[in-house]
Amino acid sequence: MPEYKITVATGTSEYSGTNNYVYVTLIGEKGETEKTLLDNPGLDFCRGAVDDYKVSSPVPLGQVLLVRLEKKRYWVEDNWFCRYVVVQPPGGTAPLTFPCYRWLVGDVFVELREGTAKRLCDDSLPLLLSHRKKELEERQKVYRWQAWAPGIPQCVAAESEKDLPQDARFDNEKRSDFEGSLHYASPLSPRLLELSLKKLAIVFGKSWSDLDDFRRIFWKLRSPTAEYVMEHWREDWFFGYQFLNGSNPRMIKRCQTLPKNFPVEGGMVQASLGPRKTLAKEMKAGNIYLVDYAVMDGIPANVIRGRQQHLAAPLCLLYAHPDQGLIPVAIQLGQTAGLDCPVFLPSDPPLAWLLAKIWVRHAEFQIFQVLSHLLRTHLVVEVFCVATLRQLPAVHPIYKLLAPHLRYTLEINCRGRTQLISADGIFKRVVSTGGAGLLILAQREYKVLTYESLQPIKDFQQRGVNQLRDYFYKEDSLMLWDAIHSFVSGMVDLYYSSDKEVHKDTELQAWIQGLSSELKTRKELSTLLSVVIFTCSAQHAATNNGQFDWCAWVPNTPCTMRRPPPTCKDSITMDTIMETLPDISQSCVQMAITWHLGRAQPNAIPLGQYTEQYFSELPAQELIKGFRQELHDIEDTIVKRNQGLEPQYLYLCPSRVENSITI
């Protein structure tokens, strides 16, 4: 009677093990074994355990095609996370690995395919074809589309994270850490109250009296970059630097012609350009840049605790100075020029120029949080996540490639919709675009969002920024894009030998349906997959990971403004600025929530580190190994460049970039 050796690996996170009954059935070309209880002396299926068993078959099975695992309750329900099953056939045949990486919840069974990636055309046996079909039918019942709001990307149908299947949920450690840090950052948290008071008798809601008062909350949560911001935020060169390497480094564009609604004349900025230079010459030389917040024009501002908040849609003109770096030379705080919307200049009274820059930084907060971060990473990636789960079986090579990069995205987005941007979420409480404004802003951006803007090479070319110096975000993005694209292209070429095979893959075409017309070539597929992986790893890290650094010193990037933009340069006093900036309560929440969202995750999986081994074939594993080496080389390059640099730009170090959007 043939005897098979079975190795079963249980998950390593908390509560992955089970004391329930677990059965196995091996299904082969020529028959199947009887359902066999897996039971060794002592405890089975403990957290992190790798248990060996023997299963007998009445007849030779031939090639083992499927492993059926079945869990039955013993006294109480105890969910189980299985990592993989290895089957060693008799006769010294090479062992077969069957990846699982799934929770078994309740009295259920799962059927696992051997780990070699297979497209639909690679399967011919009715059993395997039926397995693919049933798997997708089951997933399509569980993962359904929903329109959370009109005019933005569709999302998974779930009212909250509790409606998601266990396979899409945080593991226990991640959940505990997330909820613990969110409690720390909650507006009602005792720790936040302590943070805001700092042994001072301050009543929430009271305004600050001086900019130095913000130091009262800047004492416990801090970082080297945040402290650098606190010391240098008023300086023009640092204001310009943040357009290149802050949390929103995608807005700046080369200015070849001044917008008609921005009446800046050469004489107005001559002092900033220097002798023998003119605005026209510098514009022609590619040294003049523009940041235009037209998308903000007319967005309704929030009302917080009964008080109207305010927004602006600035235009900011910058000059790439040969010695001083990128510096602002003119700011207009609205899209309609006029006597009540003047152009602010560095030569204006210092407080007027400072307040104009603060208004630009306030617009930056809205844009990077709602558009660069939420819409262009979280919501875009969720579309691919749901499509992947609905249309690609686990054995498909593209599913195997994408799965590690979609980990936890559905839960973090569900939590974002219920806790951050909902009608009573944190944005509504403290952010000037909270409420209706947030959605209108996202809808406007989604209408004009282009596929090319998600590809760094084309994005930088279209914005005309390739000659900007010290644009570390650009340098690091291009290195990571090249590494990702090279890796993905290798994977695509491994499983698709021609463009025709891409076009004829009906599962792949179903996956892209609704996102694009169709995929016709390997190049198109490689680019699209690279966009997905780059967006959920590098692009998310660039916009998310530094938000505490840039926002902790609240005057540098205020979440809301309590007075309207100034219409006169000469009437601005320090009282005007303090009455405009967020109050004590709003400032505390801004500092705490950006710490919660931007901090390094304790259980993060860095880019290219695939803890779940979906690919069992050697060529795919070699490509992964090469990808990791390239990322290691990029890490060395970035670290060396940052030696002696202040402030440092390390957000795109591969070791600090997560594989997926988890926060």
Side-chain angles (χ1 to χ4, degrees), residues 372-390:
S372 300
H373 183 200
L374 173 64
L375 174 64
R376 298 176 68 95
T377 63
H378 281 259
L379 300 188
V380 166
V381 169
E382 184 171 0
V383 172
F384 289 97
C385 185
V386 176
T388 300
L389 290 166
R390 286 178 56 84

Side-chain angles (χ1 to χ4, degrees), residues 26 78 169 222 257 291 318 430 459 615 623:
L26 305 182
D78 193 10
R169 298 292 309 275
R222 58 198 334 174
T257 304
V291 182
L318 300 114
V430 298
D459 175 52
F615 289 101
L623 286 169

Side-chain angles (χ1 to χ4, degrees), residues 459-501:
D459 175 52
F460 295 131
Q461 289 174 344
Q462 290 175 355
R463 291 194 284 119
V465 294
N466 283 327
Q467 72 181 58
L468 272 171
R469 294 179 292 117
D470 299 331
Y471 200 174
F472 305 127
Y473 160 75
K474 176 176 71 71
E475 296 174 18
D476 298 352
S477 291
L478 291 175
M479 286 192 292
L480 288 176
W481 170 263
D482 288 345
I484 291 169
H485 190 264
S486 176
F487 166 60
V488 168
S489 297
M491 283 292 193
V492 168
D493 291 347
L494 180 62
Y495 293 103
Y496 295 92
S497 61
S498 68
D499 293 342
K500 183 178 179 180
E501 290 187 355

Side-chain angles (χ1 to χ4, degrees), residues 85-101:
V85 176
V86 177
V87 177
Q88 175 67 67
T93 307
L96 304 171
T97 300
F98 294 75
C100 183
Y101 304 113

Side-chain angles (χ1 to χ4, degrees), residues 160-231:
S160 75
E161 71 279 0
K162 296 176 182 178
D163 296 327
L164 295 171
Q166 189 65 38
D167 289 328
R169 298 292 309 275
F170 294 166
D171 63 25
N172 191 68
E173 293 96 328
K174 170 72 174 177
R175 184 178 303 111
S176 297
D177 174 77
F178 180 90
E179 292 176 351
S181 67
L182 184 63
H183 175 70
Y184 186 100
S186 167
L188 301 179
S189 167
R191 290 197 177 192
L192 182 60
L193 186 61
E194 178 187 4
L195 175 70
S196 64
L197 296 179
K198 198 195 172 186
K199 301 180 182 178
L200 297 172
I202 301 173
V203 178
F204 266 18
K206 180 181 176 183
S207 296
W208 309 100
S209 58
D210 186 84
L211 287 170
D212 284 342
D213 287 348
F214 283 95
R215 294 176 185 268
R216 295 179 183 178
I217 61 169
F218 199 79
W219 67 283
K220 183 158 185 166
L221 301 179
R222 58 198 334 174
S223 72
T225 300
E227 293 187 43
Y228 190 92
V229 171
M230 180 177 66
E231 298 300 329

